[in-house]
Amino acid sequence: MIDILVPEVNMRVPLLSQIDREVILLMDDADLAKYLPSYGDRIALIHFCRRQTPSAKRKLGLFEKLKEKMKLRKEANGDEQEPQTSNKKASCKAKSCKRNIEIGWIHNENGVIKQVRARQGGGTRKLQINTEARHDDILKEGKALFFQNGNSTKGQESDFEFEVWDFKQNPLPIDVSVGMIYNTVKLPILRFYIATRPILSLTEESSDEPDQAGDISDSDSTKVDDCSQSENLSELEETVPDVFFVSDEDVSLHSSEDHHAGMQFNVSSDPEITFGPQQPTEEDFLSDTVIHDPCDSPQNVPNDLQNRNLTIHYSHSFNDMIEAFSDHEIVTQSLTVKRILPNNSEEAGSGPGVLRDVYSNFWSDFYEHCTIGTSVKVPFLRHDFSSDKWKAVGRVLLKGFKDCKYIPIKIAQPLFEEILFGVVYTDLKATFLKFVSCQERDVLNQALNDFSSVDMDELLDIMNTYECRRMVTASSLPGIIDEIAHKELIQKPMFVIDCWREVTKDLISLSCEEIQQLYKDLKPTPKKVTGLLKFPSEMSENQTEVANHLKRYIREIDEDKLCRFLRFCTGSDLVVTEAIQVEFTIQTDFTRRPIGHTCGMVLELSDSYDNFPQFRAEFNCVLESNIWVMDIV
């Protein structure tokens, strides 16, 4: 409150001493006349109040002064902040001194060199290690992984002699560091092997060397001459036998398929992959880790009952898969898939990436031919699908989950809950609104929110489509939708549910929370997919620009193309991997195109794109093509 002195009047107005300037400006002339009878005084007072500086501006002036003081304080403390900045830089530099590597275990037993698989205590382990780490550091990490407390599946640590091999299976020199190898070979991730052999058998192996050397000389005629490998491995070839990939399949078949790679085959009952240190490349071991499943068949089952070759034709892959999975024993067998292209030639690609692509292609065809619904789908009964065919589809579901953790997430979640638990936990109404078309969803949502504003003709037409037999009112509509949802999502496909339940009974162990989390984790989104991309640690200016083009492209594409992008890179249209490695290659303008390695989950890109529209057009052309031929083994 202020006392207002009107200079023009030159008199103090006591009655106005408790009235603010803002209030005077709000008063009309009649109210102000009660305090100032003279009309001229009132005009002068209003004019005086309007000329005064607003309080907001005075406050603004205080803020400006405060900012100036803060600025001076920052300048005074500038010298104190420099050490903190240097500490942060040192911390970042310390982080960059570590690199990711992979470590595997190779064991020499009775003169046969084998990689130890994951289910036998080996496999491929990933870890971070200092770039200055050398032979002894890697050996120490390997012993800690595979010989915990000095014990392993092959014996105690004291019973073996240890070596460290690099990614080419050559002995690692003691004075070579991890950083030196990264700078030389420029690979996205390095793999090392802990090589072991029993101490007691060293004398026996030395006596067998002449025979092995004789075997090498006899098999020289079957090898393809490779100058680079022979120069790097000339010393090893004198003492190490040829590469042996062991299988109980027909030897002549494998020999005809892989003779061009210079590989010699030998028949053995050991289910492990047997190899020597000089021949296999890095790509041969990208998928050597086997997912352990307690439902797998026992290891003493003959190998010919565990392995199965599938031949799938592109033109009718859906029917080929149904026919193959009509055999109930297929869920216990390891699958090797070969596909026949539309020109009747055999696709060159093979491996886990092809298997994931086969499952993705099957469920894509299944959605198209055997389900109804929009965002959420349920199977519908067909007169040409007997119980045997529906059970075959259930085996594809079971086998895909066991092999690749693949679940067809477009199938309504309440249907899976009915299969596994016999009861539905998910909200049926919310799922049904994703099952119906967009137009029907809008009408139903409007009716649920404001029944009086909905078009009754449209609402009754929708109710008639789903065979509603009750009077629709504002109070009865929510219950009616719940009943229709249960009928459409559970009752109608109950025959399919029974067939799938018979196949998957006791073989899929998931709780309701795990199913919900699985649906959430597998669903691709632009944020998830961009998070999967792993670029080289050092990139040129052009490569950085192309990396930004790729991220922008993923953020712009719709859900369908996003699934196609994942399938192009990993073989699966769902998020079944933790990383997609992005590599840059030199390509001409004529041969420039993206290349996906589904087994290793690697995407190769050219760094010669001029702008984003050019990058988008070429990637769209690849993703919109009808057939992707996997021609890289």
Side-chain angles (χ1 to χ4, degrees):
M1 304 298 177
I2 59 174
D3 290 335
I4 297 177
L5 180 64
V6 184
E8 290 81 354
V9 180
N10 196 18
M11 61 176 290
R12 183 171 297 277
V13 185
L15 292 176
L16 295 178
S17 61
Q18 300 299 319
I19 301 177
D20 289 338
R21 177 182 59 82
E22 290 82 1
V23 176
I24 293 176
L25 293 175
L26 295 175
M27 295 172 64
D28 57 15
D29 188 67
D31 293 332
L32 196 58
K34 298 177 182 179
Y35 302 96
L36 292 175
S38 175
Y39 179 74
D41 292 342
R42 294 197 297 272
I43 296 297
L45 177 61
I46 293 174
H47 180 69
F48 172 78
C49 292
R50 288 176 179 174
R51 284 188 308 166
Q52 297 301 308
T53 304
S55 61
K57 291 185 178 180
R58 290 199 302 272
K59 293 179 181 177
L60 183 61
L62 293 175
F63 279 120
E64 292 297 333
K65 293 178 181 179
L66 182 61
K67 286 181 180 179
E68 290 295 331
K69 291 184 179 180
M70 295 298 294
K71 185 177 180 181
L72 294 175
R73 288 184 182 179
K74 288 183 179 178
E75 292 176 355
N77 296 333
D79 296 336
E80 298 179 0
Q81 291 180 354
E82 289 181 0
Q84 297 179 0
T85 305
S86 61
N87 291 337
K88 291 182 179 179
K89 291 182 179 179
S91 176
C92 296
K93 185 176 180 181
K95 290 182 179 178
S96 63
C97 291
K98 289 194 174 184
R99 295 296 298 268
N100 293 326
I101 66 169
E102 296 177 343
I103 297 182
W105 178 14
I106 294 175
H107 184 60
N108 185 339
E109 188 171 0
N110 299 326
V112 180
I113 302 173
K114 306 176 182 178
Q115 181 174 1
V116 182
R117 307 305 294 271
R119 66 179 64 191
Q120 296 179 348
T124 301
R125 314 293 178 87
K126 295 183 179 180
L127 68 153
Q128 283 192 338
I129 197 167
N130 196 290
T131 54
E132 296 299 323
R134 301 176 187 270
H135 177 283
D136 295 340
D137 302 313
I138 298 174
L139 180 59
K140 181 180 178 181
E141 293 288 347
K143 287 183 178 180
L145 292 172
F146 303 117
F147 288 82
Q148 298 181 2
N149 299 324
N151 295 321
S152 71
T153 57
K154 301 294 184 181
Q156 296 198 6
E157 180 180 340
S158 58
D159 297 337
F160 300 102
E161 182 179 274
F162 291 86
E163 288 184 352
V164 178
W165 289 356
D166 61 15
F167 65 97
K168 292 184 178 180
Q169 291 84 52
N170 295 326
L172 181 68
I174 297 179
D175 57 344
V176 176
S177 67
V178 172
M180 295 168 60
I181 301 177
Y182 263 113
N183 294 333
T184 302
V185 301
K186 306 297 184 183
L187 288 174
I189 187 168
L190 287 179
R191 176 172 299 188
F192 298 93
Y193 296 95
I194 304 302
T196 60
R197 58 177 176 175
I199 297 177
L200 297 178
S201 63
L202 294 180
T203 56
E204 298 177 3
E205 292 180 7
S206 61
S207 63
D208 292 339
E209 288 181 0
D211 294 336
Q212 293 176 356
D215 293 339
I216 295 175
S217 61
D218 292 338
S219 61
D220 285 342
S221 59
T222 64
K223 290 186 176 181
V224 176
D225 186 17
D226 190 335
C227 297
S228 61
Q229 287 188 351
S230 61
E231 290 175 0
N232 295 333
L233 306 172
S234 57
E235 297 180 359
L236 289 175
E237 287 181 350
E238 298 177 359
T239 58
V240 181
D242 283 344
V243 180
F244 294 96
F245 281 84
V246 180
S247 174
D248 277 347
E249 302 293 336
D250 187 85
V251 179
S252 61
L253 174 62
H254 290 287
S255 299
S256 62
E257 291 177 350
D258 295 279
H259 185 273
H260 66 279
M263 299 179 183
Q264 183 178 359
F265 289 83
N266 185 20
V267 177
S268 172
S269 60
D270 199 323
E272 295 178 330
I273 297 178
T274 310
F275 58 92
Q278 73 270 29
Q279 285 283 1
T281 61
E282 183 192 18
E283 287 78 11
D284 295 329
F285 303 102
L286 285 175
S287 58
D288 62 339
T289 302
V290 180
I291 300 175
H292 174 71
D293 192 301
C295 302
D296 285 343
S297 57
Q299 295 184 6
N300 57 357
V301 177
N303 216 27
D304 56 347
L305 294 181
Q306 292 184 345
N307 298 328
R308 180 163 185 159
N309 293 325
L310 290 184
T311 300
I312 305 297
H313 296 77
Y314 259 109
S315 55
H316 48 90
S317 60
F318 181 72
N319 293 330
D320 286 347
M321 287 285 286
I322 294 242
E323 181 179 355
F325 279 83
S326 296
D327 182 4
H328 67 277
E329 293 183 354
I330 196 171
V331 296
T332 63
Q333 298 172 335
S334 177
L335 301 182
T336 301
V337 178
K338 282 293 182 181
R339 288 195 289 195
I340 306 300
L341 300 175
N343 61 0
N344 209 31
S345 63
E346 187 176 290
E347 189 177 52
S350 62
V354 177
L355 187 60
R356 287 191 293 268
D357 190 73
V358 167
Y359 285 126
S360 299
N361 188 63
F362 172 83
W363 287 110
S364 178
D365 290 341
F366 181 81
Y367 295 148
E368 190 72 22
H369 301 293
C370 299
T371 65
I372 55 175
T374 54
S375 300
V376 168
K377 302 178 182 294
V378 296
F380 77 98
L381 297 181
R382 293 174 40 167
H383 68 87
D384 57 340
F385 259 53
S386 62
S387 61
D388 292 337
K389 287 189 175 182
W390 285 117
K391 290 177 183 178
V393 176
R395 293 187 190 98
V396 177
L397 169 66
L398 174 62
K399 187 65 173 170
F401 177 72
K402 292 177 63 178
D403 289 348
C404 312
K405 298 301 179 185
Y406 189 103
I407 288 288
I409 61 173
K410 288 188 178 181
I411 301 295
Q413 184 177 331
L415 186 140
F416 279 113
E417 294 173 350
E418 182 69 28
I419 292 174
L420 297 178
F421 315 121
V423 64
V424 176
Y425 297 101
T426 307
D427 184 4
L428 283 172
K429 186 187 301 178
T431 306
F432 179 72
L433 291 176
K434 298 178 182 178
F435 170 79
V436 300
S437 65
C438 295
Q439 182 181 358
E440 293 174 340
R441 185 184 309 129
D442 293 340
V443 174
L444 292 176
N445 280 327
Q446 184 181 2
L448 289 171
N449 297 328
D450 186 6
F451 188 82
S452 60
S453 65
V454 72
D455 187 335
M456 288 302 298
D457 291 336
E458 285 188 316
L459 179 60
L460 294 177
D461 186 48
I462 294 173
M463 294 293 103
N464 185 55
T465 301
Y466 296 103
E467 302 173 351
C468 176
R469 297 292 183 265
R470 291 175 56 190
M471 179 68 70
V472 179
T473 62
S475 59
S476 65
L477 181 61
I480 292 176
I481 292 180
D482 283 332
E483 294 170 355
I484 293 177
H486 191 272
K487 182 195 71 171
E488 295 293 330
L489 303 179
I490 303 299
Q491 296 178 26
K492 281 190 175 181
M494 184 55 71
F495 178 75
V496 180
I497 291 174
D498 291 338
C499 292
W500 289 3
R501 181 187 291 132
E502 181 178 343
V503 172
T504 61
K505 185 179 181 181
D506 300 329
L507 295 179
I508 295 181
S509 260
L510 291 173
S511 65
C512 180
E513 293 76 12
E514 288 173 336
I515 291 180
Q516 293 177 354
Q517 189 63 36
L518 196 60
Y519 265 69
K520 181 179 178 181
D521 293 342
L522 292 177
K523 183 176 178 61
T525 62
K527 182 178 180 180
K528 283 184 185 178
V529 177
T530 53
L532 296 177
L533 300 177
K534 304 298 180 185
F535 297 96
S537 57
E538 297 180 0
M539 294 188 293
S540 64
E541 184 177 351
N542 289 342
Q543 291 172 350
T544 302
E545 185 177 0
V546 174
N548 292 331
H549 290 342
L550 178 61
K551 293 178 182 178
R552 178 179 176 183
Y553 177 77
I554 293 174
R555 288 192 291 264
E556 288 186 0
I557 57 180
D558 56 21
E559 183 178 354
D560 180 63
K561 275 189 182 175
L562 188 63
C563 293
R564 284 175 170 263
F565 174 83
L566 271 179
R567 186 175 171 188
F568 179 76
C569 298
T570 68
S572 172
D573 53 4
L574 305 179
V575 182
V576 296
T577 181
E578 295 181 355
I580 298 175
Q581 297 292 337
V582 181
E583 299 178 356
F584 296 95
T585 59
I586 300 176
Q587 300 178 17
T588 65
D589 291 341
F590 180 75
T591 62
R592 184 178 63 197
R593 79 282 188 204
I595 301 174
H597 300 269
T598 57
C599 291
M601 301 182 185
V602 177
L603 175 63
E604 289 186 8
L605 296 174
S606 171
D607 60 356
S608 60
Y609 291 97
D610 296 332
N611 49 59
F612 174 71
Q614 187 182 59
F615 177 88
R616 178 182 58 195
E618 294 189 8
F619 224 117
N620 282 340
C621 184
V622 172
L623 296 185
E624 291 170 1
S625 60
N626 293 327
I627 295 179
W628 298 331
V629 178
M630 298 188 180
D631 55 357
I632 301 176
V633 181

